[in-house]
PDB file of all heavy atoms in Angstrom:
ATOM      1  N   LEU C  58     -15.646-216.360  54.764  1.00 54.00           N
ATOM      2  CA  LEU C  58     -16.049-215.081  54.204  1.00 54.00           C
ATOM      3  C   LEU C  58     -16.990-215.263  53.014  1.00 54.00           C
ATOM      4  O   LEU C  58     -18.171-215.117  53.098  1.00 54.00           O
ATOM      5  CB  LEU C  58     -14.809-214.282  53.780  1.00 54.00           C
ATOM      6  CG  LEU C  58     -13.853-213.910  54.910  1.00 54.00           C
ATOM      7  CD1 LEU C  58     -12.675-213.128  54.361  1.00 54.00           C
ATOM      8  CD2 LEU C  58     -14.567-213.116  55.984  1.00 54.00           C
ATOM      9  N   PHE C  59     -16.435-215.620  51.883  1.00 50.00           N
ATOM     10  CA  PHE C  59     -17.230-215.754  50.667  1.00 50.00           C
ATOM     11  C   PHE C  59     -16.733-216.981  49.910  1.00 50.00           C
ATOM     12  O   PHE C  59     -15.632-216.979  49.370  1.00 50.00           O
ATOM     13  CB  PHE C  59     -17.083-214.523  49.777  1.00 50.00           C
ATOM     14  CG  PHE C  59     -17.331-213.230  50.506  1.00 50.00           C
ATOM     15  CD1 PHE C  59     -16.288-212.546  51.094  1.00 50.00           C
ATOM     16  CD2 PHE C  59     -18.606-212.704  50.609  1.00 50.00           C
ATOM     17  CE1 PHE C  59     -16.503-211.354  51.764  1.00 50.00           C
ATOM     18  CE2 PHE C  59     -18.838-211.519  51.281  1.00 50.00           C
ATOM     19  CZ  PHE C  59     -17.787-210.848  51.863  1.00 50.00           C
ATOM     20  N   CYS C  62     -13.088-218.494  50.458  1.00 53.00           N
ATOM     21  CA  CYS C  62     -12.235-217.546  51.170  1.00 53.00           C
ATOM     22  C   CYS C  62     -12.497-217.631  52.676  1.00 53.00           C
ATOM     23  O   CYS C  62     -13.628-217.554  53.128  1.00 53.00           O
ATOM     24  CB  CYS C  62     -12.509-216.129  50.671  1.00 53.00           C
ATOM     25  SG  CYS C  62     -11.430-214.893  51.399  1.00 53.00           S
ATOM     26  N   PHE C 150      -0.214-209.632  54.404  1.00 91.00           N
ATOM     27  CA  PHE C 150      -1.624-209.660  54.034  1.00 91.00           C
ATOM     28  C   PHE C 150      -1.815-209.488  52.532  1.00 91.00           C
ATOM     29  O   PHE C 150      -2.624-210.174  51.904  1.00 91.00           O
ATOM     30  CB  PHE C 150      -2.364-208.561  54.791  1.00 91.00           C
ATOM     31  CG  PHE C 150      -3.772-208.328  54.343  1.00 91.00           C
ATOM     32  CD1 PHE C 150      -4.740-209.313  54.499  1.00 91.00           C
ATOM     33  CD2 PHE C 150      -4.150-207.123  53.760  1.00 91.00           C
ATOM     34  CE1 PHE C 150      -6.053-209.106  54.081  1.00 91.00           C
ATOM     35  CE2 PHE C 150      -5.453-206.910  53.346  1.00 91.00           C
ATOM     36  CZ  PHE C 150      -6.403-207.901  53.507  1.00 91.00           C
ATOM     37  N   GLY C 151      -1.036-208.570  51.945  1.00 92.00           N
ATOM     38  CA  GLY C 151      -1.155-208.315  50.517  1.00 92.00           C
ATOM     39  C   GLY C 151      -0.760-209.512  49.674  1.00 92.00           C
ATOM     40  O   GLY C 151      -1.457-209.865  48.711  1.00 92.00           O
ATOM     41  N   VAL C 152       0.355-210.145  50.023  1.00 93.00           N
ATOM     42  CA  VAL C 152       0.815-211.320  49.272  1.00 93.00           C
ATOM     43  C   VAL C 152      -0.192-212.455  49.408  1.00 93.00           C
ATOM     44  O   VAL C 152      -0.569-213.106  48.420  1.00 93.00           O
ATOM     45  CB  VAL C 152       2.211-211.765  49.759  1.00 93.00           C
ATOM     46  CG1 VAL C 152       2.608-213.101  49.141  1.00 93.00           C
ATOM     47  CG2 VAL C 152       3.253-210.704  49.428  1.00 93.00           C
ATOM     48  N   ASN C 153      -0.636-212.703  50.640  1.00 91.00           N
ATOM     49  CA  ASN C 153      -1.612-213.769  50.886  1.00 91.00           C
ATOM     50  C   ASN C 153      -2.897-213.524  50.095  1.00 91.00           C
ATOM     51  O   ASN C 153      -3.408-214.422  49.413  1.00 91.00           O
ATOM     52  CB  ASN C 153      -1.911-213.838  52.387  1.00 91.00           C
ATOM     53  CG  ASN C 153      -2.686-215.074  52.782  1.00 91.00           C
ATOM     54  OD1 ASN C 153      -3.719-215.378  52.197  1.00 91.00           O
ATOM     55  ND2 ASN C 153      -2.200-215.784  53.777  1.00 91.00           N
ATOM     56  N   SER C 154      -3.410-212.300  50.163  1.00 90.00           N
ATOM     57  CA  SER C 154      -4.664-211.969  49.479  1.00 90.00           C
ATOM     58  C   SER C 154      -4.526-212.107  47.967  1.00 90.00           C
ATOM     59  O   SER C 154      -5.424-212.637  47.297  1.00 90.00           O
ATOM     60  CB  SER C 154      -5.090-210.536  49.826  1.00 90.00           C
ATOM     61  OG  SER C 154      -5.341-210.408  51.199  1.00 90.00           O
ATOM     62  N   LEU C 155      -3.403-211.637  47.427  1.00 93.00           N
ATOM     63  CA  LEU C 155      -3.206-211.681  45.983  1.00 93.00           C
ATOM     64  C   LEU C 155      -3.132-213.113  45.470  1.00 93.00           C
ATOM     65  O   LEU C 155      -3.777-213.466  44.468  1.00 93.00           O
ATOM     66  CB  LEU C 155      -1.941-210.921  45.607  1.00 93.00           C
ATOM     67  CG  LEU C 155      -1.604-210.891  44.109  1.00 93.00           C
ATOM     68  CD1 LEU C 155      -2.716-210.202  43.328  1.00 93.00           C
ATOM     69  CD2 LEU C 155      -0.271-210.191  43.870  1.00 93.00           C
ATOM     70  N   LEU C 156      -2.353-213.953  46.152  1.00 93.00           N
ATOM     71  CA  LEU C 156      -2.203-215.340  45.717  1.00 93.00           C
ATOM     72  C   LEU C 156      -3.543-216.077  45.755  1.00 93.00           C
ATOM     73  O   LEU C 156      -3.876-216.842  44.841  1.00 93.00           O
ATOM     74  CB  LEU C 156      -1.176-216.056  46.592  1.00 93.00           C
ATOM     75  CG  LEU C 156       0.277-215.547  46.500  1.00 93.00           C
ATOM     76  CD1 LEU C 156       1.177-216.317  47.456  1.00 93.00           C
ATOM     77  CD2 LEU C 156       0.800-215.656  45.075  1.00 93.00           C
ATOM     78  N   VAL C 157      -4.307-215.849  46.819  1.00 90.00           N
ATOM     79  CA  VAL C 157      -5.605-216.508  46.945  1.00 90.00           C
ATOM     80  C   VAL C 157      -6.598-215.941  45.931  1.00 90.00           C
ATOM     81  O   VAL C 157      -7.360-216.692  45.301  1.00 90.00           O
ATOM     82  CB  VAL C 157      -6.156-216.353  48.373  1.00 90.00           C
ATOM     83  CG1 VAL C 157      -7.593-216.867  48.460  1.00 90.00           C
ATOM     84  CG2 VAL C 157      -5.275-217.097  49.369  1.00 90.00           C
ATOM     85  N   ALA C 158      -6.589-214.624  45.736  1.00 90.00           N
ATOM     86  CA  ALA C 158      -7.535-213.984  44.809  1.00 90.00           C
ATOM     87  C   ALA C 158      -7.303-214.445  43.376  1.00 90.00           C
ATOM     88  O   ALA C 158      -8.268-214.630  42.614  1.00 90.00           O
ATOM     89  CB  ALA C 158      -7.420-212.466  44.902  1.00 90.00           C
ATOM     90  N   ILE C 159      -6.053-214.625  42.993  1.00 93.00           N
ATOM     91  CA  ILE C 159      -5.766-215.104  41.635  1.00 93.00           C
ATOM     92  C   ILE C 159      -6.330-216.505  41.447  1.00 93.00           C
ATOM     93  O   ILE C 159      -6.924-216.815  40.402  1.00 93.00           O
ATOM     94  CB  ILE C 159      -4.250-215.079  41.364  1.00 93.00           C
ATOM     95  CG1 ILE C 159      -3.748-213.638  41.306  1.00 93.00           C
ATOM     96  CG2 ILE C 159      -3.923-215.793  40.051  1.00 93.00           C
ATOM     97  CD1 ILE C 159      -2.238-213.526  41.160  1.00 93.00           C
ATOM     98  N   ILE C 161      -8.872-217.893  43.078  1.00 88.00           N
ATOM     99  CA  ILE C 161     -10.330-217.802  43.023  1.00 88.00           C
ATOM    100  C   ILE C 161     -10.775-217.221  41.682  1.00 88.00           C
ATOM    101  O   ILE C 161     -11.756-217.672  41.079  1.00 88.00           O
ATOM    102  CB  ILE C 161     -10.867-216.943  44.181  1.00 88.00           C
ATOM    103  CG1 ILE C 161     -10.559-217.612  45.534  1.00 88.00           C
ATOM    104  CG2 ILE C 161     -12.364-216.721  44.048  1.00 88.00           C
ATOM    105  CD1 ILE C 161     -10.957-216.777  46.731  1.00 88.00           C
ATOM    106  N   GLY C 162     -10.027-216.219  41.200  1.00 89.00           N
ATOM    107  CA  GLY C 162     -10.358-215.599  39.930  1.00 89.00           C
ATOM    108  C   GLY C 162     -10.273-216.573  38.764  1.00 89.00           C
ATOM    109  O   GLY C 162     -11.136-216.587  37.881  1.00 89.00           O
ATOM    110  N   GLN C 167     -13.294-214.521  37.403  1.00 86.00           N
ATOM    111  CA  GLN C 167     -13.490-213.159  37.887  1.00 86.00           C
ATOM    112  C   GLN C 167     -12.155-212.443  37.919  1.00 86.00           C
ATOM    113  O   GLN C 167     -11.092-213.060  37.895  1.00 86.00           O
ATOM    114  CB  GLN C 167     -14.088-213.159  39.300  1.00 86.00           C
ATOM    115  CG  GLN C 167     -15.453-213.785  39.426  1.00 86.00           C
ATOM    116  CD  GLN C 167     -15.963-213.679  40.854  1.00 86.00           C
ATOM    117  OE1 GLN C 167     -16.198-212.589  41.373  1.00 86.00           O
ATOM    118  NE2 GLN C 167     -16.131-214.820  41.504  1.00 86.00           N
ATOM    119  N   SER C 168     -12.208-211.124  38.019  1.00 89.00           N
ATOM    120  CA  SER C 168     -10.996-210.336  38.137  1.00 89.00           C
ATOM    121  C   SER C 168     -10.431-210.453  39.557  1.00 89.00           C
ATOM    122  O   SER C 168     -11.170-210.216  40.521  1.00 89.00           O
ATOM    123  CB  SER C 168     -11.287-208.861  37.829  1.00 89.00           C
ATOM    124  OG  SER C 168     -10.217-208.043  38.251  1.00 89.00           O
ATOM    125  N   PRO C 169      -9.141-210.813  39.714  1.00 88.00           N
ATOM    126  CA  PRO C 169      -8.549-210.883  41.070  1.00 88.00           C
ATOM    127  C   PRO C 169      -8.637-209.555  41.814  1.00 88.00           C
ATOM    128  O   PRO C 169      -8.837-209.537  43.030  1.00 88.00           O
ATOM    129  CB  PRO C 169      -7.088-211.274  40.789  1.00 88.00           C
ATOM    130  CG  PRO C 169      -7.135-211.984  39.476  1.00 88.00           C
ATOM    131  CD  PRO C 169      -8.204-211.276  38.685  1.00 88.00           C
ATOM    132  N   ILE C 170      -8.505-208.446  41.076  1.00 89.00           N
ATOM    133  CA  ILE C 170      -8.588-207.129  41.718  1.00 89.00           C
ATOM    134  C   ILE C 170      -9.980-206.913  42.297  1.00 89.00           C
ATOM    135  O   ILE C 170     -10.142-206.413  43.415  1.00 89.00           O
ATOM    136  CB  ILE C 170      -8.256-206.007  40.705  1.00 89.00           C
ATOM    137  CG1 ILE C 170      -6.839-206.198  40.149  1.00 89.00           C
ATOM    138  CG2 ILE C 170      -8.397-204.642  41.367  1.00 89.00           C
ATOM    139  CD1 ILE C 170      -5.765-206.191  41.214  1.00 89.00           C
ATOM    140  N   ARG C 171     -10.998-207.328  41.542  1.00 87.00           N
ATOM    141  CA  ARG C 171     -12.374-207.187  42.036  1.00 87.00           C
ATOM    142  C   ARG C 171     -12.584-208.056  43.271  1.00 87.00           C
ATOM    143  O   ARG C 171     -13.259-207.639  44.226  1.00 87.00           O
ATOM    144  CB  ARG C 171     -13.355-207.587  40.933  1.00 87.00           C
ATOM    145  CG  ARG C 171     -14.825-207.465  41.344  1.00 87.00           C
ATOM    146  CD  ARG C 171     -15.745-207.804  40.177  1.00 87.00           C
ATOM    147  NE  ARG C 171     -17.139-207.705  40.565  1.00 87.00           N
ATOM    148  CZ  ARG C 171     -17.821-208.677  41.158  1.00 87.00           C
ATOM    149  NH1 ARG C 171     -17.225-209.834  41.428  1.00 87.00           N
ATOM    150  NH2 ARG C 171     -19.089-208.516  41.490  1.00 87.00           N
ATOM    151  N   ILE C 172     -12.006-209.253  43.262  1.00 85.00           N
ATOM    152  CA  ILE C 172     -12.133-210.148  44.409  1.00 85.00           C
ATOM    153  C   ILE C 172     -11.464-209.543  45.634  1.00 85.00           C
ATOM    154  O   ILE C 172     -12.016-209.581  46.743  1.00 85.00           O
ATOM    155  CB  ILE C 172     -11.513-211.523  44.081  1.00 85.00           C
ATOM    156  CG1 ILE C 172     -12.345-212.225  43.001  1.00 85.00           C
ATOM    157  CG2 ILE C 172     -11.429-212.399  45.324  1.00 85.00           C
ATOM    158  CD1 ILE C 172     -11.712-213.478  42.465  1.00 85.00           C
ATOM    159  N   ILE C 173     -10.282-208.975  45.446  1.00 86.00           N
ATOM    160  CA  ILE C 173      -9.565-208.354  46.573  1.00 86.00           C
ATOM    161  C   ILE C 173     -10.366-207.183  47.125  1.00 86.00           C
ATOM    162  O   ILE C 173     -10.511-207.040  48.344  1.00 86.00           O
ATOM    163  CB  ILE C 173      -8.165-207.893  46.116  1.00 86.00           C
ATOM    164  CG1 ILE C 173      -7.263-209.102  45.864  1.00 86.00           C
ATOM    165  CG2 ILE C 173      -7.537-206.981  47.173  1.00 86.00           C
ATOM    166  CD1 ILE C 173      -5.903-208.746  45.329  1.00 86.00           C
ATOM    167  N   ARG C 174     -10.889-206.362  46.242  1.00 84.00           N
ATOM    168  CA  ARG C 174     -11.638-205.186  46.694  1.00 84.00           C
ATOM    169  C   ARG C 174     -12.916-205.581  47.423  1.00 84.00           C
ATOM    170  O   ARG C 174     -13.312-204.923  48.389  1.00 84.00           O
ATOM    171  CB  ARG C 174     -11.960-204.293  45.485  1.00 84.00           C
ATOM    172  CG  ARG C 174     -10.730-203.633  44.884  1.00 84.00           C
ATOM    173  CD  ARG C 174     -11.022-202.933  43.584  1.00 84.00           C
ATOM    174  NE  ARG C 174     -11.951-201.832  43.753  1.00 84.00           N
ATOM    175  CZ  ARG C 174     -12.341-201.037  42.757  1.00 84.00           C
ATOM    176  NH1 ARG C 174     -11.887-201.249  41.532  1.00 84.00           N
ATOM    177  NH2 ARG C 174     -13.178-200.047  42.991  1.00 84.00           N
ATOM    178  N   ARG C 175     -13.548-206.658  46.971  1.00 80.00           N
ATOM    179  CA  ARG C 175     -14.818-207.053  47.582  1.00 80.00           C
ATOM    180  C   ARG C 175     -14.638-207.927  48.808  1.00 80.00           C
ATOM    181  O   ARG C 175     -15.332-207.764  49.813  1.00 80.00           O
ATOM    182  CB  ARG C 175     -15.668-207.802  46.539  1.00 80.00           C
ATOM    183  CG  ARG C 175     -16.991-208.322  47.103  1.00 80.00           C
ATOM    184  CD  ARG C 175     -17.822-208.993  46.037  1.00 80.00           C
ATOM    185  NE  ARG C 175     -19.056-209.542  46.596  1.00 80.00           N
ATOM    186  CZ  ARG C 175     -19.183-210.772  47.071  1.00 80.00           C
ATOM    187  NH1 ARG C 175     -18.153-211.610  47.026  1.00 80.00           N
ATOM    188  NH2 ARG C 175     -20.330-211.195  47.577  1.00 80.00           N
ATOM    189  N   GLN C 176     -13.668-208.847  48.773  1.00 77.00           N
ATOM    190  CA  GLN C 176     -13.573-209.865  49.814  1.00 77.00           C
ATOM    191  C   GLN C 176     -12.453-209.616  50.821  1.00 77.00           C
ATOM    192  O   GLN C 176     -12.554-210.057  51.957  1.00 77.00           O
ATOM    193  CB  GLN C 176     -13.359-211.242  49.171  1.00 77.00           C
ATOM    194  CG  GLN C 176     -14.480-211.654  48.235  1.00 77.00           C
ATOM    195  CD  GLN C 176     -14.304-213.057  47.695  1.00 77.00           C
ATOM    196  OE1 GLN C 176     -13.432-213.797  48.148  1.00 77.00           O
ATOM    197  NE2 GLN C 176     -15.101-213.450  46.734  1.00 77.00           N
ATOM    198  N   HIS C 177     -11.379-208.925  50.409  1.00 79.00           N
ATOM    199  CA  HIS C 177     -10.204-208.842  51.273  1.00 79.00           C
ATOM    200  C   HIS C 177      -9.898-207.443  51.808  1.00 79.00           C
ATOM    201  O   HIS C 177      -9.395-207.314  52.920  1.00 79.00           O
ATOM    202  CB  HIS C 177      -8.967-209.340  50.513  1.00 79.00           C
ATOM    203  CG  HIS C 177      -9.078-210.769  50.063  1.00 79.00           C
ATOM    204  ND1 HIS C 177      -8.339-211.289  49.022  1.00 79.00           N
ATOM    205  CD2 HIS C 177      -9.838-211.785  50.516  1.00 79.00           C
ATOM    206  CE1 HIS C 177      -8.643-212.561  48.842  1.00 79.00           C
ATOM    207  NE2 HIS C 177      -9.556-212.880  49.733  1.00 79.00           N
ATOM    208  N   LEU C 178     -10.187-206.419  51.010  1.00 82.00           N
ATOM    209  CA  LEU C 178      -9.707-205.080  51.361  1.00 82.00           C
ATOM    210  C   LEU C 178     -10.242-204.596  52.703  1.00 82.00           C
ATOM    211  O   LEU C 178      -9.548-203.896  53.439  1.00 82.00           O
ATOM    212  CB  LEU C 178     -10.089-204.095  50.251  1.00 82.00           C
ATOM    213  CG  LEU C 178      -9.301-202.778  50.217  1.00 82.00           C
ATOM    214  CD1 LEU C 178      -7.813-203.059  50.065  1.00 82.00           C
ATOM    215  CD2 LEU C 178      -9.791-201.892  49.074  1.00 82.00           C
ATOM    216  N   TRP C 179     -11.474-204.977  53.038  1.00 76.00           N
ATOM    217  CA  TRP C 179     -12.067-204.522  54.297  1.00 76.00           C
ATOM    218  C   TRP C 179     -11.353-205.110  55.518  1.00 76.00           C
ATOM    219  O   TRP C 179     -11.523-204.625  56.647  1.00 76.00           O
ATOM    220  CB  TRP C 179     -13.551-204.884  54.345  1.00 76.00           C
ATOM    221  CG  TRP C 179     -13.843-206.359  54.333  1.00 76.00           C
ATOM    222  CD1 TRP C 179     -13.973-207.157  53.243  1.00 76.00           C
ATOM    223  CD2 TRP C 179     -14.012-207.202  55.471  1.00 76.00           C
ATOM    224  NE1 TRP C 179     -14.221-208.456  53.626  1.00 76.00           N
ATOM    225  CE2 TRP C 179     -14.252-208.509  54.987  1.00 76.00           C
ATOM    226  CE3 TRP C 179     -13.988-206.987  56.854  1.00 76.00           C
ATOM    227  CZ2 TRP C 179     -14.464-209.589  55.840  1.00 76.00           C
ATOM    228  CZ3 TRP C 179     -14.211-208.063  57.695  1.00 76.00           C
ATOM    229  CH2 TRP C 179     -14.446-209.345  57.196  1.00 76.00           C
ATOM    230  N   LEU C 180     -10.518-206.153  55.301  1.00 76.00           N
ATOM    231  CA  LEU C 180      -9.779-206.754  56.414  1.00 76.00           C
ATOM    232  C   LEU C 180      -8.544-205.948  56.813  1.00 76.00           C
ATOM    233  O   LEU C 180      -7.961-206.199  57.864  1.00 76.00           O
ATOM    234  CB  LEU C 180      -9.339-208.175  56.033  1.00 76.00           C
ATOM    235  CG  LEU C 180     -10.434-209.240  55.971  1.00 76.00           C
ATOM    236  CD1 LEU C 180      -9.918-210.489  55.283  1.00 76.00           C
ATOM    237  CD2 LEU C 180     -10.946-209.573  57.360  1.00 76.00           C
ATOM    238  N   THR C 181      -8.138-205.002  55.978  1.00 84.00           N
ATOM    239  CA  THR C 181      -6.897-204.258  56.216  1.00 84.00           C
ATOM    240  C   THR C 181      -6.800-203.657  57.623  1.00 84.00           C
ATOM    241  O   THR C 181      -5.762-203.792  58.284  1.00 84.00           O
ATOM    242  CB  THR C 181      -6.726-203.155  55.157  1.00 84.00           C
ATOM    243  OG1 THR C 181      -6.791-203.735  53.849  1.00 84.00           O
ATOM    244  CG2 THR C 181      -5.389-202.443  55.323  1.00 84.00           C
ATOM    245  N   ARG C 227     -21.752-208.326  57.478  1.00 65.00           N
ATOM    246  CA  ARG C 227     -21.590-208.004  56.061  1.00 65.00           C
ATOM    247  C   ARG C 227     -22.365-208.999  55.194  1.00 65.00           C
ATOM    248  O   ARG C 227     -23.047-208.606  54.243  1.00 65.00           O
ATOM    249  CB  ARG C 227     -20.100-208.017  55.695  1.00 65.00           C
ATOM    250  CG  ARG C 227     -19.800-207.599  54.256  1.00 65.00           C
ATOM    251  CD  ARG C 227     -18.322-207.761  53.969  1.00 65.00           C
ATOM    252  NE  ARG C 227     -18.011-207.446  52.598  1.00 65.00           N
ATOM    253  CZ  ARG C 227     -17.606-206.269  52.171  1.00 65.00           C
ATOM    254  NH1 ARG C 227     -17.469-205.271  53.042  1.00 65.00           N
ATOM    255  NH2 ARG C 227     -17.320-206.061  50.896  1.00 65.00           N
TER     256      ARG C 227
END
Side-chain angles (χ1 to χ4, degrees):
L58 297 180
F59 309 92
C62 184
F150 170 65
V152 171
N153 192 309
S154 297
L155 180 61
L156 295 178
V157 172
I159 292 175
I161 296 175
Q167 298 182 64
S168 166
I170 300 301
R171 180 177 179 275
I172 293 171
I173 289 176
R174 291 171 64 178
R175 177 177 177 269
Q176 300 184 9
H177 299 158
L178 199 58
W179 64 274
L180 288 167
T181 305
R227 184 185 177 94

